[in-house]
PDB file of all heavy atoms in Angstrom:
ATOM      1  N   ALA A   1     118.504 124.124 116.116  1.00  0.00           N
ATOM      2  CA  ALA A   1     119.168 125.281 115.247  1.00  0.00           C
ATOM      3  C   ALA A   1     118.622 125.093 113.866  1.00  0.00           C
ATOM      4  O   ALA A   1     118.889 126.119 113.152  1.00  0.00           O
ATOM      5  CB  ALA A   1     120.620 125.150 115.360  1.00  0.00           C
ATOM      6  N   GLU A   2     118.104 123.972 113.451  1.00  0.00           N
ATOM      7  CA  GLU A   2     117.664 123.881 112.009  1.00  0.00           C
ATOM      8  C   GLU A   2     116.303 124.482 111.798  1.00  0.00           C
ATOM      9  O   GLU A   2     115.574 124.683 112.672  1.00  0.00           O
ATOM     10  CB  GLU A   2     117.647 122.398 111.631  1.00  0.00           C
ATOM     11  CG  GLU A   2     118.924 121.628 111.601  1.00  0.00           C
ATOM     12  CD  GLU A   2     119.759 122.006 110.271  1.00  0.00           C
ATOM     13  OE1 GLU A   2     119.233 122.238 109.241  1.00  0.00           O
ATOM     14  OE2 GLU A   2     120.930 122.017 110.402  1.00  0.00           O
ATOM     15  N   GLU A   3     116.135 125.053 110.563  1.00  0.00           N
ATOM     16  CA  GLU A   3     114.836 125.612 110.262  1.00  0.00           C
ATOM     17  C   GLU A   3     114.004 124.968 109.190  1.00  0.00           C
ATOM     18  O   GLU A   3     114.697 124.542 108.119  1.00  0.00           O
ATOM     19  CB  GLU A   3     115.152 127.053 109.869  1.00  0.00           C
ATOM     20  CG  GLU A   3     113.922 127.997 109.780  1.00  0.00           C
ATOM     21  CD  GLU A   3     114.361 129.433 109.686  1.00  0.00           C
ATOM     22  OE1 GLU A   3     115.012 129.791 108.655  1.00  0.00           O
ATOM     23  OE2 GLU A   3     114.089 130.213 110.561  1.00  0.00           O
ATOM     24  N   LEU A   4     112.824 124.711 109.375  1.00  0.00           N
ATOM     25  CA  LEU A   4     111.909 124.247 108.456  1.00  0.00           C
ATOM     26  C   LEU A   4     111.444 125.399 107.672  1.00  0.00           C
ATOM     27  O   LEU A   4     110.990 126.330 108.149  1.00  0.00           O
ATOM     28  CB  LEU A   4     110.679 123.524 109.049  1.00  0.00           C
ATOM     29  CG  LEU A   4     109.457 123.233 108.174  1.00  0.00           C
ATOM     30  CD1 LEU A   4     109.828 122.177 107.200  1.00  0.00           C
ATOM     31  CD2 LEU A   4     108.333 122.832 109.082  1.00  0.00           C
ATOM     32  N   ALA A   5     111.641 125.396 106.311  1.00  0.00           N
ATOM     33  CA  ALA A   5     111.063 126.574 105.445  1.00  0.00           C
ATOM     34  C   ALA A   5     109.941 126.152 104.690  1.00  0.00           C
ATOM     35  O   ALA A   5     109.975 124.996 103.955  1.00  0.00           O
ATOM     36  CB  ALA A   5     112.357 127.103 104.562  1.00  0.00           C
ATOM     37  N   VAL A   6     108.879 126.969 104.648  1.00  0.00           N
ATOM     38  CA  VAL A   6     107.772 126.656 103.868  1.00  0.00           C
ATOM     39  C   VAL A   6     107.601 127.818 102.979  1.00  0.00           C
ATOM     40  O   VAL A   6     107.540 128.984 103.433  1.00  0.00           O
ATOM     41  CB  VAL A   6     106.487 126.495 104.763  1.00  0.00           C
ATOM     42  CG1 VAL A   6     105.181 126.246 103.863  1.00  0.00           C
ATOM     43  CG2 VAL A   6     106.739 125.420 105.805  1.00  0.00           C
ATOM     44  N   ALA A   7     107.530 127.678 101.631  1.00  0.00           N
ATOM     45  CA  ALA A   7     107.677 128.777 100.626  1.00  0.00           C
ATOM     46  C   ALA A   7     106.549 128.756  99.678  1.00  0.00           C
ATOM     47  O   ALA A   7     106.161 127.647  99.185  1.00  0.00           O
ATOM     48  CB  ALA A   7     108.947 128.882 100.004  1.00  0.00           C
ATOM     49  N   TRP A   8     106.031 129.866  99.294  1.00  0.00           N
ATOM     50  CA  TRP A   8     105.034 130.050  98.190  1.00  0.00           C
ATOM     51  C   TRP A   8     105.865 130.764  97.124  1.00  0.00           C
ATOM     52  O   TRP A   8     105.883 132.042  97.190  1.00  0.00           O
ATOM     53  CB  TRP A   8     103.854 130.813  98.727  1.00  0.00           C
ATOM     54  CG  TRP A   8     103.015 130.011  99.555  1.00  0.00           C
ATOM     55  CD1 TRP A   8     101.894 129.364  99.309  1.00  0.00           C
ATOM     56  CD2 TRP A   8     103.137 129.831 101.038  1.00  0.00           C
ATOM     57  NE1 TRP A   8     101.338 128.822 100.365  1.00  0.00           N
ATOM     58  CE2 TRP A   8     102.181 129.021 101.484  1.00  0.00           C
ATOM     59  CE3 TRP A   8     104.186 130.291 101.924  1.00  0.00           C
ATOM     60  CZ2 TRP A   8     102.004 128.715 102.838  1.00  0.00           C
ATOM     61  CZ3 TRP A   8     104.040 129.884 103.267  1.00  0.00           C
ATOM     62  CH2 TRP A   8     102.996 129.006 103.589  1.00  0.00           C
ATOM     63  N   PRO A   9     106.381 130.122  96.080  1.00  0.00           N
ATOM     64  CA  PRO A   9     107.330 130.733  95.156  1.00  0.00           C
ATOM     65  C   PRO A   9     106.555 131.824  94.367  1.00  0.00           C
ATOM     66  O   PRO A   9     107.363 132.830  93.970  1.00  0.00           O
ATOM     67  CB  PRO A   9     107.734 129.563  94.202  1.00  0.00           C
ATOM     68  CG  PRO A   9     107.486 128.355  94.935  1.00  0.00           C
ATOM     69  CD  PRO A   9     106.300 128.668  95.946  1.00  0.00           C
ATOM     70  N   ASP A  10     105.382 131.818  94.014  1.00  0.00           N
ATOM     71  CA  ASP A  10     104.817 132.831  93.126  1.00  0.00           C
ATOM     72  C   ASP A  10     103.996 133.832  93.845  1.00  0.00           C
ATOM     73  O   ASP A  10     103.227 134.624  93.238  1.00  0.00           O
ATOM     74  CB  ASP A  10     103.947 132.088  92.127  1.00  0.00           C
ATOM     75  CG  ASP A  10     104.669 131.125  91.257  1.00  0.00           C
ATOM     76  OD1 ASP A  10     105.885 131.459  90.979  1.00  0.00           O
ATOM     77  OD2 ASP A  10     104.198 130.055  90.865  1.00  0.00           O
ATOM     78  N   LEU A  11     104.079 133.870  95.296  1.00  0.00           N
ATOM     79  CA  LEU A  11     103.197 134.692  96.063  1.00  0.00           C
ATOM     80  C   LEU A  11     104.012 136.026  96.318  1.00  0.00           C
ATOM     81  O   LEU A  11     105.134 135.935  96.923  1.00  0.00           O
ATOM     82  CB  LEU A  11     102.821 133.980  97.222  1.00  0.00           C
ATOM     83  CG  LEU A  11     101.853 134.719  98.209  1.00  0.00           C
ATOM     84  CD1 LEU A  11     100.659 135.245  97.650  1.00  0.00           C
ATOM     85  CD2 LEU A  11     101.522 133.906  99.472  1.00  0.00           C
ATOM     86  N   GLU A  12     103.333 137.091  96.160  1.00  0.00           N
ATOM     87  CA  GLU A  12     103.840 138.445  96.422  1.00  0.00           C
ATOM     88  C   GLU A  12     102.686 139.095  97.270  1.00  0.00           C
ATOM     89  O   GLU A  12     101.683 139.270  96.748  1.00  0.00           O
ATOM     90  CB  GLU A  12     104.149 139.250  95.213  1.00  0.00           C
ATOM     91  CG  GLU A  12     105.348 138.779  94.458  1.00  0.00           C
ATOM     92  CD  GLU A  12     106.662 138.752  95.150  1.00  0.00           C
ATOM     93  OE1 GLU A  12     106.859 139.558  96.121  1.00  0.00           O
ATOM     94  OE2 GLU A  12     107.527 137.922  94.818  1.00  0.00           O
ATOM     95  N   LEU A  13     103.082 139.424  98.505  1.00  0.00           N
ATOM     96  CA  LEU A  13     101.927 140.082  99.341  1.00  0.00           C
ATOM     97  C   LEU A  13     102.154 141.522  99.355  1.00  0.00           C
ATOM     98  O   LEU A  13     103.219 142.055  99.203  1.00  0.00           O
ATOM     99  CB  LEU A  13     102.003 139.527 100.804  1.00  0.00           C
ATOM    100  CG  LEU A  13     101.740 137.986 100.924  1.00  0.00           C
ATOM    101  CD1 LEU A  13     101.998 137.628 102.463  1.00  0.00           C
ATOM    102  CD2 LEU A  13     100.250 137.750 100.585  1.00  0.00           C
ATOM    103  N   ASN A  14     101.001 142.216  99.590  1.00  0.00           N
ATOM    104  CA  ASN A  14     101.120 143.794  99.757  1.00  0.00           C
ATOM    105  C   ASN A  14     101.585 144.044 101.045  1.00  0.00           C
ATOM    106  O   ASN A  14     101.735 143.157 101.986  1.00  0.00           O
ATOM    107  CB  ASN A  14      99.780 144.359  99.407  1.00  0.00           C
ATOM    108  CG  ASN A  14      98.613 143.955 100.294  1.00  0.00           C
ATOM    109  OD1 ASN A  14      98.944 143.731 101.457  1.00  0.00           O
ATOM    110  ND2 ASN A  14      97.427 143.940  99.960  1.00  0.00           N
ATOM    111  N   ARG A  15     101.879 145.306 101.270  1.00  0.00           N
ATOM    112  CA  ARG A  15     102.456 145.784 102.536  1.00  0.00           C
ATOM    113  C   ARG A  15     101.583 145.466 103.852  1.00  0.00           C
ATOM    114  O   ARG A  15     102.192 144.992 104.910  1.00  0.00           O
ATOM    115  CB  ARG A  15     102.810 147.213 102.473  1.00  0.00           C
ATOM    116  CG  ARG A  15     103.511 147.870 103.763  1.00  0.00           C
ATOM    117  CD  ARG A  15     103.720 149.350 103.641  1.00  0.00           C
ATOM    118  NE  ARG A  15     102.537 150.150 103.323  1.00  0.00           N
ATOM    119  CZ  ARG A  15     101.492 150.452 104.218  1.00  0.00           C
ATOM    120  NH1 ARG A  15     101.644 150.048 105.468  1.00  0.00           N
ATOM    121  NH2 ARG A  15     100.516 151.161 103.949  1.00  0.00           N
ATOM    122  N   GLU A  16     100.297 145.633 103.707  1.00  0.00           N
ATOM    123  CA  GLU A  16      99.402 145.377 104.660  1.00  0.00           C
ATOM    124  C   GLU A  16      99.381 143.893 105.095  1.00  0.00           C
ATOM    125  O   GLU A  16      99.447 143.569 106.360  1.00  0.00           O
ATOM    126  CB  GLU A  16      97.943 145.816 104.390  1.00  0.00           C
ATOM    127  CG  GLU A  16      97.772 147.259 104.243  1.00  0.00           C
ATOM    128  CD  GLU A  16      98.168 147.856 102.826  1.00  0.00           C
ATOM    129  OE1 GLU A  16      98.221 146.986 101.979  1.00  0.00           O
ATOM    130  OE2 GLU A  16      98.308 149.031 102.733  1.00  0.00           O
ATOM    131  N   ASN A  17      99.537 142.994 104.176  1.00  0.00           N
ATOM    132  CA  ASN A  17      99.491 141.556 104.469  1.00  0.00           C
ATOM    133  C   ASN A  17     100.693 141.242 105.055  1.00  0.00           C
ATOM    134  O   ASN A  17     100.868 140.295 105.976  1.00  0.00           O
ATOM    135  CB  ASN A  17      99.265 140.778 103.086  1.00  0.00           C
ATOM    136  CG  ASN A  17      97.786 140.723 102.780  1.00  0.00           C
ATOM    137  OD1 ASN A  17      96.986 140.725 103.558  1.00  0.00           O
ATOM    138  ND2 ASN A  17      97.534 140.638 101.447  1.00  0.00           N
ATOM    139  N   LEU A  18     101.871 141.771 104.606  1.00  0.00           N
ATOM    140  CA  LEU A  18     103.175 141.502 105.167  1.00  0.00           C
ATOM    141  C   LEU A  18     103.211 141.947 106.651  1.00  0.00           C
ATOM    142  O   LEU A  18     103.688 141.224 107.506  1.00  0.00           O
ATOM    143  CB  LEU A  18     104.308 142.054 104.390  1.00  0.00           C
ATOM    144  CG  LEU A  18     104.569 141.503 102.923  1.00  0.00           C
ATOM    145  CD1 LEU A  18     105.599 142.298 102.198  1.00  0.00           C
ATOM    146  CD2 LEU A  18     105.098 140.027 103.153  1.00  0.00           C
ATOM    147  N   GLU A  19     102.647 143.102 106.864  1.00  0.00           N
ATOM    148  CA  GLU A  19     102.688 143.512 108.228  1.00  0.00           C
ATOM    149  C   GLU A  19     101.882 142.609 109.254  1.00  0.00           C
ATOM    150  O   GLU A  19     102.206 142.332 110.309  1.00  0.00           O
ATOM    151  CB  GLU A  19     102.094 145.086 108.344  1.00  0.00           C
ATOM    152  CG  GLU A  19     103.212 146.131 107.759  1.00  0.00           C
ATOM    153  CD  GLU A  19     102.549 147.371 107.628  1.00  0.00           C
ATOM    154  OE1 GLU A  19     101.432 147.645 107.967  1.00  0.00           O
ATOM    155  OE2 GLU A  19     103.291 148.264 107.281  1.00  0.00           O
ATOM    156  N   LEU A  20     100.665 142.347 108.677  1.00  0.00           N
ATOM    157  CA  LEU A  20      99.810 141.343 109.518  1.00  0.00           C
ATOM    158  C   LEU A  20     100.534 139.951 109.759  1.00  0.00           C
ATOM    159  O   LEU A  20     100.644 139.471 110.771  1.00  0.00           O
ATOM    160  CB  LEU A  20      98.553 141.187 108.815  1.00  0.00           C
ATOM    161  CG  LEU A  20      97.614 140.121 109.442  1.00  0.00           C
ATOM    162  CD1 LEU A  20      97.269 140.481 110.940  1.00  0.00           C
ATOM    163  CD2 LEU A  20      96.228 139.886 108.668  1.00  0.00           C
ATOM    164  N   LEU A  21     101.055 139.518 108.596  1.00  0.00           N
ATOM    165  CA  LEU A  21     101.861 138.241 108.684  1.00  0.00           C
ATOM    166  C   LEU A  21     103.014 138.312 109.681  1.00  0.00           C
ATOM    167  O   LEU A  21     103.146 137.429 110.555  1.00  0.00           O
ATOM    168  CB  LEU A  21     102.292 137.757 107.366  1.00  0.00           C
ATOM    169  CG  LEU A  21     103.137 136.470 107.363  1.00  0.00           C
ATOM    170  CD1 LEU A  21     102.334 135.278 107.786  1.00  0.00           C
ATOM    171  CD2 LEU A  21     103.755 136.170 106.034  1.00  0.00           C
ATOM    172  N   ASP A  22     103.766 139.490 109.714  1.00  0.00           N
ATOM    173  CA  ASP A  22     104.934 139.640 110.621  1.00  0.00           C
ATOM    174  C   ASP A  22     104.404 139.680 112.127  1.00  0.00           C
ATOM    175  O   ASP A  22     105.001 139.048 113.026  1.00  0.00           O
ATOM    176  CB  ASP A  22     105.607 140.802 110.299  1.00  0.00           C
ATOM    177  CG  ASP A  22     106.558 140.687 109.029  1.00  0.00           C
ATOM    178  OD1 ASP A  22     106.769 139.506 108.661  1.00  0.00           O
ATOM    179  OD2 ASP A  22     107.012 141.714 108.513  1.00  0.00           O
ATOM    180  N   ARG A  23     103.259 140.414 112.294  1.00  0.00           N
ATOM    181  CA  ARG A  23     102.680 140.388 113.729  1.00  0.00           C
ATOM    182  C   ARG A  23     102.177 138.904 114.174  1.00  0.00           C
ATOM    183  O   ARG A  23     102.494 138.603 115.235  1.00  0.00           O
ATOM    184  CB  ARG A  23     101.425 141.191 113.716  1.00  0.00           C
ATOM    185  CG  ARG A  23     101.725 142.689 113.836  1.00  0.00           C
ATOM    186  CD  ARG A  23     100.605 143.554 114.342  1.00  0.00           C
ATOM    187  NE  ARG A  23      99.391 143.399 113.604  1.00  0.00           N
ATOM    188  CZ  ARG A  23      98.979 143.884 112.465  1.00  0.00           C
ATOM    189  NH1 ARG A  23      99.809 144.795 111.991  1.00  0.00           N
ATOM    190  NH2 ARG A  23      97.827 143.703 111.942  1.00  0.00           N
ATOM    191  N   LEU A  24     101.653 138.151 113.199  1.00  0.00           N
ATOM    192  CA  LEU A  24     101.234 136.847 113.561  1.00  0.00           C
ATOM    193  C   LEU A  24     102.460 135.972 113.863  1.00  0.00           C
ATOM    194  O   LEU A  24     102.409 135.150 114.800  1.00  0.00           O
ATOM    195  CB  LEU A  24     100.323 136.332 112.453  1.00  0.00           C
ATOM    196  CG  LEU A  24      99.035 137.013 112.155  1.00  0.00           C
ATOM    197  CD1 LEU A  24      98.356 136.362 110.922  1.00  0.00           C
ATOM    198  CD2 LEU A  24      98.165 136.742 113.310  1.00  0.00           C
ATOM    199  N   LEU A  25     103.435 136.035 113.057  1.00  0.00           N
ATOM    200  CA  LEU A  25     104.629 135.169 113.227  1.00  0.00           C
ATOM    201  C   LEU A  25     105.428 135.477 114.444  1.00  0.00           C
ATOM    202  O   LEU A  25     105.906 134.534 115.192  1.00  0.00           O
ATOM    203  CB  LEU A  25     105.603 135.318 112.057  1.00  0.00           C
ATOM    204  CG  LEU A  25     105.021 134.881 110.642  1.00  0.00           C
ATOM    205  CD1 LEU A  25     106.066 135.160 109.584  1.00  0.00           C
ATOM    206  CD2 LEU A  25     104.687 133.354 110.696  1.00  0.00           C
ATOM    207  N   SER A  26     105.331 136.682 114.841  1.00  0.00           N
ATOM    208  CA  SER A  26     106.061 137.034 116.148  1.00  0.00           C
ATOM    209  C   SER A  26     105.301 136.534 117.404  1.00  0.00           C
ATOM    210  O   SER A  26     105.936 136.430 118.381  1.00  0.00           O
ATOM    211  CB  SER A  26     106.313 138.577 116.155  1.00  0.00           C
ATOM    212  OG  SER A  26     105.140 139.339 116.283  1.00  0.00           O
ATOM    213  N   ALA A  27     103.954 136.463 117.175  1.00  0.00           N
ATOM    214  CA  ALA A  27     103.190 135.980 118.318  1.00  0.00           C
ATOM    215  C   ALA A  27     102.991 134.517 118.410  1.00  0.00           C
ATOM    216  O   ALA A  27     102.389 133.996 119.384  1.00  0.00           O
ATOM    217  CB  ALA A  27     101.873 136.627 118.360  1.00  0.00           C
ATOM    218  N   TRP A  28     103.385 133.793 117.356  1.00  0.00           N
ATOM    219  CA  TRP A  28     103.321 132.290 117.260  1.00  0.00           C
ATOM    220  C   TRP A  28     104.128 131.500 118.259  1.00  0.00           C
ATOM    221  O   TRP A  28     105.309 131.834 118.265  1.00  0.00           O
ATOM    222  CB  TRP A  28     103.616 131.866 115.812  1.00  0.00           C
ATOM    223  CG  TRP A  28     102.873 130.679 115.254  1.00  0.00           C
ATOM    224  CD1 TRP A  28     102.643 129.504 116.019  1.00  0.00           C
ATOM    225  CD2 TRP A  28     102.722 130.296 113.904  1.00  0.00           C
ATOM    226  NE1 TRP A  28     102.024 128.693 115.142  1.00  0.00           N
ATOM    227  CE2 TRP A  28     102.199 129.159 113.899  1.00  0.00           C
ATOM    228  CE3 TRP A  28     103.038 131.117 112.725  1.00  0.00           C
ATOM    229  CZ2 TRP A  28     101.755 128.470 112.617  1.00  0.00           C
ATOM    230  CZ3 TRP A  28     102.633 130.479 111.652  1.00  0.00           C
ATOM    231  CH2 TRP A  28     102.043 129.196 111.633  1.00  0.00           C
TER     232      TRP A  28
END
């Protein structure tokens, strides 16, 4: 139930990168 969080504090992605990342995360 616990979650490991990995964060990039200064990173802001554009919409296309966020959509790609979400697709990759959902298939991981």
